[in-house]
Amino acid sequence: MAAPRQHCARLVRSVLGAWQRGPRAGREWEAPPGLFLGNQVRCVSCGVVGAAFSGPLLASASSRYGQYSALDRILGFPQPDSSLAPSVPAVSVHRDEQNLLLVHTPDMPENSRVLRVVLLGAPNAGKSTLSNQLLGRKVFPVSKKVHTTRCQALGVITEKEAQVILLDTPGIISPVKQKRHHLELSLVEDPWKSMESADLVVVLVDVSDKWTRSQLSPQVLQCLTRFSQVPSILVLNKVDCLKQKSVLLELTAALTEGVVNGKKLSIKQALHSHSRLGTHCPNPAAKDPNTYSVRNPQRIGWPNFQEIFMLSALNNKDVNTLKQYLLAQAQPGPWEFHSGVLTSQTPEEICANKIREKLLEYLPEEVPYNVQQKTVIWEEGPSGELVIQQNLLVPKESHMRILIGQKGLLISQIAQEVGRDLMDIFLCDVRIRLSVKLLK
């Protein structure tokens, strides 16, 4: 009976209490041994949390790589029935496989088509949320705080003969704001660099933000003006948040200067688009987009949009309409990536971004921006699961207490949510441990 009692005592202490060990207790928190709870393994403590989630194991035709591994396909290993395989590729948990896929000759058909799409918008307009919905997996970080995306990230949609490459850029900011807030230079430069290779620009506007929705930001307008030869479409996002749908008519008129696809937008036409949320406004044949002046420094809209979409990025039906439009716009040409590529990010980058996403979501004010992340363990466990340990370094003890939370509940919640997200991205079991330490 002693052993069961000991196990129960450990379980209660793990779930409800804080485990402090040794002289480092005030500056570093460590986890107790893992406790098996059915199919899950949870190591819960103040500051270090490990969580494992059930899913397909890493074992496949090649023991080193994931189930339905794209590398297995390249190397010619037998594959399961394609009708049973997921339609959206998983991201490999191994950097070498991901790198091999990125440089491997694309497995494209003879009639291949391709489209490079740049998503532009103000900070927090919903670009990463929309990108995740279009891709079918949450590979880009999302939070309500601005500047969640710190540098350009790339996602790939491959369906049949078409490949759409999404460039999820940071929210465009001015150089003045970049210097004032000591932000990375990538927040200013990446959107401009992306435009140089774009085939289509998607301008995203958050219509739920009454302070910014009535005009395009000067930086977005400057970008559109400089690259006016690149076709562009307007996407009004978060329309489900509007109580009065008539506001969409006013916004459409302002943001397009009353002109779409070379024709003046009539109220009747706008009403038609407003009544069919999730579909783009039908328009006559386009005129030359350069017919309209782009030199007015006071302008608030862009008269060269080819189409308008109104959607909620959280509504799959609306997003699928936009996705099918993008696939249809793909032009004949060679693919840039193998069909097994979903993103150009390394698995470690995806994990770090997911943790940062949760820090931004749950921590107040400036606290999440001062957390430094360091991955110390990234390996395959004894049962084929992915084992991750990341240290979260904070500059103040007060920040440490905030991040740990009462009885370790906050850091536990963050680890569990990150584990679930990573399991969906990698399609394998994930055991993640977060350690909060004071920065020396």
Side-chain angles (χ1 to χ4, degrees):
M1 291 294 291
R5 278 200 209 98
Q6 245 181 351
H7 178 76
C8 288
R10 287 174 58 206
L11 178 60
V12 171
R13 284 199 302 270
S14 175
V15 175
L16 300 179
W19 282 55
Q20 297 185 354
R21 293 185 171 186
R24 298 178 299 168
R27 293 181 172 272
E28 180 178 345
W29 298 79
E30 295 185 350
L35 301 177
F36 287 83
L37 307 176
N39 291 332
Q40 295 188 332
V41 184
R42 296 184 182 178
C43 309
V44 183
S45 74
C46 276
V48 183
V49 180
F53 303 88
S54 295
L57 296 181
L58 294 183
S60 68
S62 171
S63 60
R64 284 197 61 199
Y65 299 106
Q67 191 176 37
Y68 311 142
S69 164
L71 182 60
D72 285 351
R73 295 199 300 271
I74 293 173
L75 297 177
F77 285 104
Q79 294 294 301
D81 185 351
S82 60
S83 64
L84 302 177
S87 57
V88 180
V91 178
S92 171
V93 300
H94 297 283
R95 180 182 295 190
D96 52 356
E97 179 181 2
Q98 176 74 344
N99 290 339
L100 181 58
L101 271 177
L102 289 172
V103 299
H104 194 274
T105 303
D107 53 339
M108 57 187 173
E110 292 183 1
N111 58 338
S112 61
R113 298 183 294 117
V114 68
L115 184 75
R116 291 182 65 87
V117 179
V118 171
L119 274 69
L120 288 185
N124 220 26
K127 298 182 293 298
S128 294
T129 300
L130 179 58
S131 295
N132 287 337
Q133 291 288 344
L134 289 169
L135 291 172
R137 296 198 192 283
K138 298 178 181 178
V139 296
F140 298 135
V142 175
S143 81
K144 295 180 181 178
K145 289 188 173 70
V146 296
H147 308 314
T148 304
T149 301
R150 311 297 286 192
C151 58
Q152 176 183 297
L154 184 150
V156 183
I157 305 170
T158 304
E159 288 193 9
K160 298 180 180 179
E161 76 283 355
Q163 185 171 88
V164 175
I165 301 164
L166 296 176
L167 299 174
D168 182 25
T169 62
I172 299 185
I173 62 171
S174 66
V176 174
K177 285 188 176 181
Q178 182 261 330
K179 291 181 180 179
R180 181 188 304 160
H181 299 291
H182 306 288
L183 300 170
E184 295 96 323
L185 194 58
S186 61
L187 294 175
V188 176
E189 294 180 342
D190 281 0
W192 291 89
K193 290 180 179 178
S194 300
M195 291 291 293
E196 295 174 358
S197 59
D199 299 316
L200 180 70
V201 181
V202 175
V203 177
L204 199 63
V205 175
D206 177 5
V207 298
S208 69
D209 188 341
K210 63 181 180 180
W211 303 108
T212 62
R213 67 189 182 189
S214 60
Q215 64 180 47
L216 299 177
S217 74
Q219 289 74 36
V220 169
L221 282 170
Q222 187 180 5
C223 209
L224 289 172
T225 301
R226 179 173 171 180
F227 297 94
S228 59
Q229 77 282 3
V230 181
S232 57
I233 64 174
L234 174 65
V235 174
L236 302 181
N237 192 25
K238 306 181 186 180
V239 296
D240 53 313
C241 297
L242 290 181
K243 294 181 179 179
Q244 295 181 334
K245 300 302 181 184
S246 59
V247 174
L248 288 172
L249 304 181
E250 302 171 11
L251 295 178
T252 299
L255 298 175
T256 64
E257 295 188 357
V259 178
V260 178
N261 209 8
K263 288 288 186 178
K264 289 200 172 185
L265 186 65
S266 66
I267 295 297
K268 182 177 180 181
Q269 187 178 9
L271 281 168
H272 178 64
S273 67
H274 153 226
S275 65
R276 297 178 60 201
L277 299 181
T279 62
H280 65 273
C281 302
N283 294 296
K287 291 184 178 180
D288 182 358
N290 295 315
T291 301
Y292 300 93
S293 171
V294 294
R295 297 177 182 176
N296 182 2
Q298 302 302 319
R299 92 174 339 148
I300 62 173
W302 182 248
N304 299 331
F305 288 122
Q306 292 190 345
E307 303 286 353
I308 308 172
F309 289 80
M310 301 180 186
L311 52 81
S312 165
L314 299 178
N315 186 311
N316 286 331
K317 183 179 179 181
D318 291 352
V319 173
N320 189 58
T321 301
L322 176 60
K323 178 180 176 180
Q324 295 308 314
Y325 172 84
L326 297 177
L327 289 167
Q329 296 304 305
Q331 299 299 309
W335 289 357
E336 294 190 27
F337 298 99
H338 188 277
S339 61
V341 173
L342 185 66
T343 177
S344 61
Q345 301 173 94
T346 66
E348 292 89 348
E349 286 173 340
I350 293 174
C351 177
N353 284 334
K354 277 295 165 185
I355 294 172
R356 185 170 176 275
E357 168 189 303
K358 305 304 178 184
L359 297 177
L360 287 168
E361 183 175 348
Y362 289 114
L363 299 182
E365 300 173 353
E366 83 287 352
V367 176
Y369 298 101
N370 292 319
V371 178
Q372 296 183 22
Q373 300 170 242
K374 183 178 180 181
T375 301
V376 292
I377 295 178
W378 186 284
E379 62 188 17
E380 185 175 338
S383 300
E385 75 277 15
L386 173 62
V387 179
I388 304 169
Q389 179 174 333
Q390 185 169 113
N391 292 341
L392 304 178
L393 309 176
V394 295
K396 301 178 182 179
E397 290 194 12
S398 59
H399 290 184
M400 189 174 179
R401 289 192 294 270
I402 292 172
L403 178 52
I404 291 170
Q406 187 176 13
K407 297 182 179 179
L409 293 179
L410 179 55
I411 194 68
S412 172
Q413 181 176 354
I414 290 174
Q416 291 183 41
E417 291 186 8
V418 170
R420 282 193 292 267
D421 288 347
L422 294 181
M423 185 184 74
D424 178 66
I425 295 170
F426 299 138
L427 289 187
C428 72
D429 285 355
V430 174
R431 182 180 299 175
I432 183 167
R433 173 173 290 178
L434 301 180
S435 175
V436 181
K437 300 183 178 183
L438 195 61
L439 191 61
K440 298 180 180 179

